[in-house]
Amino acid sequence: MSYDDDDYPADTFPKDFGYRAYNQDGLELEPNATGNSETKPRILLMGMRRSGKSSIQKVVFHKMSPNETLFLESTSKIVKDDINNSSFVQFQIWDFPGQIDFFEPTFDSDMIFGGCGALVFVIDAKDDYNEALTKFKNTVLQAYKVNQRIKFEVFIHKVDGISDDSKMESQRDIHQRSSDDLSEAGLNQIHLSFHLTSIYDHSIFEAFSKVVQKLIPQLPTLENLLNIFIPNSGIEKAFLFDVVSKIYIATDSSPVDMQTYELCCDMIDVVIDLSSIYSSEETAFDSGSSSLIKLNNNTILYLREVNKFLALVCILREENFNRQGVIDYNFICFRDAISEVFELRLKRQKQLENNGQDDDDLLDEQALIRHGHDAGGISRAQPIN
Ligand SMILES: Nc1nc2c(ncn2[C@@H]2O[C@H](COP(=O)(O)OP(=O)(O)OP(=O)(O)O)[C@@H](O)[C@H]2O)c(=O)[nH]1
């Protein structure tokens, strides 16, 4: 088994969206400006053979249609994929072959789990998952020994076509058994997160959004900004989307309703598809991008470009859109605040690189950044009434 870098042959994101290092204005940075691939947080995709690991990676990050995954070949060695879509979302995904054996001499646990931010373990809900649970336990034990900061995420996958009751029952059973296994091994303190997923609906994007959000040290700042922007603008819910992958990197702290998320995702598709018809692919999403869709239930979807890779999609009542000027003014405050967060992050990243520290140290800066923005950024937003 080899761990070489691989030039993944399948179709990737349009090159025009660029998967290199950019600042908030979309200007390309020096190759080292946001850290090289070795210092990027890593998300590992592990699980049994045919559980759906490669399909997840292809559908979420390479725009493959779910039906095409039927023809994917089994992965025979670790496949590394660099995700560089925005200055906030930068990580590597390592897709592991299902048959990987931790006790093989070539398996270098320190190297693999050392720089890992999150470990996504995929369990096929339609299959007998006894063996998968044993493998999961061994994986967690091995990984935790090397790196105690890893976030463990379990995707109970392929839940399409399964009734809601069975989904809940599988989740309860898997949760119970895996927690019991870890307690028996004396590791009660490990926190596991569970997600019900399928590539045939938006659940996989939602679950991956939550995984990625945990790797963004600025998440509380972004949530805070949205929490201030929303009530002052008469908006019900807003998502800050990475346009290419449709992962939302932040939302306000009100609960996420799946239907609202799906509507917002679909809006991005509509905007990009329509604008591609009338423009070249490079300019399908640019600084002028904005869109308004009126639904037949007195609701409005409003999209605004935040930077080259990020869009804010809001959902609000039609009557609240009467004062669009206030919403737009507040949006500009919000966008300015986001760009300040970017600048601070870049500055800090450069400092850390010069000092030879790693990116996790940014977490310690979190409170500092947040206070800075509470005082001077979005809090200047105008109330809508
Ligand atoms: N119904 C359903 N099928 C899925 C889903 N995700 C993946 N599959 C199917 O599961 C099969 C295996 O998918 P892969 O992505 O190749 O699985 P893998 O875990 O990468 O497999 P290995 O490379 O052998 O470890 C394919 O036929 C996919 O179409 C899902 O959400 N629902």
Side-chain angles (χ1 to χ4, degrees), residues 181-249:
D181 283 349
L182 292 180
S183 305
E184 268 173 36
L187 292 174
N188 296 340
Q189 71 277 25
I190 298 184
H191 177 75
L192 307 175
S193 305
F194 295 84
H195 311 263
L196 290 163
T197 56
S198 164
I199 52 169
Y200 288 95
D201 57 34
H202 289 77
S203 57
I204 193 63
F205 294 94
E206 222 246 328
F208 233 104
S209 301
K210 296 209 166 123
V211 173
V212 169
Q213 282 166 22
K214 291 187 189 164
L215 302 181
I216 300 175
Q218 294 80 6
L219 182 68
T221 314
L222 300 178
E223 273 177 7
N224 242 7
L225 294 174
L226 284 163
N227 282 341
I228 299 165
F229 169 66
I230 279 169
N232 282 314
S233 311
I235 288 168
E236 318 258 301
K237 183 86 192 147
F239 293 94
L240 187 60
F241 271 100
D242 173 52
V243 174
V244 187
S245 61
K246 284 185 288 175
I247 275 181
Y248 68 94
I249 65 166

Side-chain angles (χ1 to χ4, degrees), residues 50-55 69-70 74-75 98 157-158 160 198-199:
R50 312 301 288 158
S51 55
K53 302 176 291 297
S54 310
S55 309
T69 64
L70 289 168
S74 201
T75 315
H157 192 52
K158 306 194 189 178
D160 43 278
S198 164
I199 52 169

Side-chain angles (χ1 to χ4, degrees), residues 44-252:
L44 309 183
L45 274 174
M46 292 185 155
M48 301 298 286
R49 288 195 65 228
R50 312 301 288 158
S51 55
K53 302 176 291 297
S54 310
S55 309
I56 292 173
Q57 190 215 13
K58 292 290 186 184
V59 169
V60 177
F61 295 104
H62 296 275
K63 292 209 173 286
M64 184 179 268
S65 81
N67 289 330
E68 282 176 73
T69 64
L70 289 168
F71 310 107
L72 281 178
E73 293 197 356
S74 201
T75 315
S76 60
K77 60 178 184 173
I78 297 176
V79 177
K80 300 175 182 177
D81 191 12
D82 250 323
I83 309 294
N84 246 0
N85 30 341
S86 76
S87 299
F88 273 122
V89 191
Q90 287 192 9
F91 51 89
Q92 278 201 323
I93 295 194
W94 289 16
D95 180 12
F96 283 71
Q99 69 276 16
I100 195 140
D101 179 3
F102 300 126
F103 302 105
E104 229 180 65
T106 47
F107 190 89
D108 182 351
S109 299
D110 290 348
M111 187 274 284
I112 287 171
F113 297 123
C116 168
L119 191 157
V120 175
F121 195 90
V122 184
I123 296 180
D124 183 344
K126 286 190 169 136
D127 206 10
D128 173 22
Y129 46 74
N130 287 320
E131 217 185 314
L133 287 178
T134 312
K135 187 177 168 128
F136 176 58
K137 182 184 87 178
N138 293 336
T139 310
V140 173
L141 294 183
Q142 188 89 1
Y144 192 73
K145 237 189 310 181
V146 176
N147 180 354
Q148 301 189 354
R149 281 151 91 164
I150 298 183
K151 309 268 186 303
F152 294 102
E153 310 280 344
V154 182
F155 283 11
I156 303 166
H157 192 52
K158 306 194 189 178
V159 292
D160 43 278
I162 297 184
S163 71
D164 283 349
D165 285 348
S166 314
K167 278 187 211 174
M168 289 307 154
E169 179 50 30
S170 306
Q171 176 161 1
R172 196 201 52 75
D173 188 39
I174 291 175
H175 190 159
Q176 183 70 46
R177 285 168 59 185
S178 46
S179 305
D180 288 351
D181 283 349
L182 292 180
S183 305
E184 268 173 36
L187 292 174
N188 296 340
Q189 71 277 25
I190 298 184
H191 177 75
L192 307 175
S193 305
F194 295 84
H195 311 263
L196 290 163
T197 56
S198 164
I199 52 169
Y200 288 95
D201 57 34
H202 289 77
S203 57
I204 193 63
F205 294 94
E206 222 246 328
F208 233 104
S209 301
K210 296 209 166 123
V211 173
V212 169
Q213 282 166 22
K214 291 187 189 164
L215 302 181
I216 300 175
Q218 294 80 6
L219 182 68
T221 314
L222 300 178
E223 273 177 7
N224 242 7
L225 294 174
L226 284 163
N227 282 341
I228 299 165
F229 169 66
I230 279 169
N232 282 314
S233 311
I235 288 168
E236 318 258 301
K237 183 86 192 147
F239 293 94
L240 187 60
F241 271 100
D242 173 52
V243 174
V244 187
S245 61
K246 284 185 288 175
I247 275 181
Y248 68 94
I249 65 166
T251 181
D252 57 284

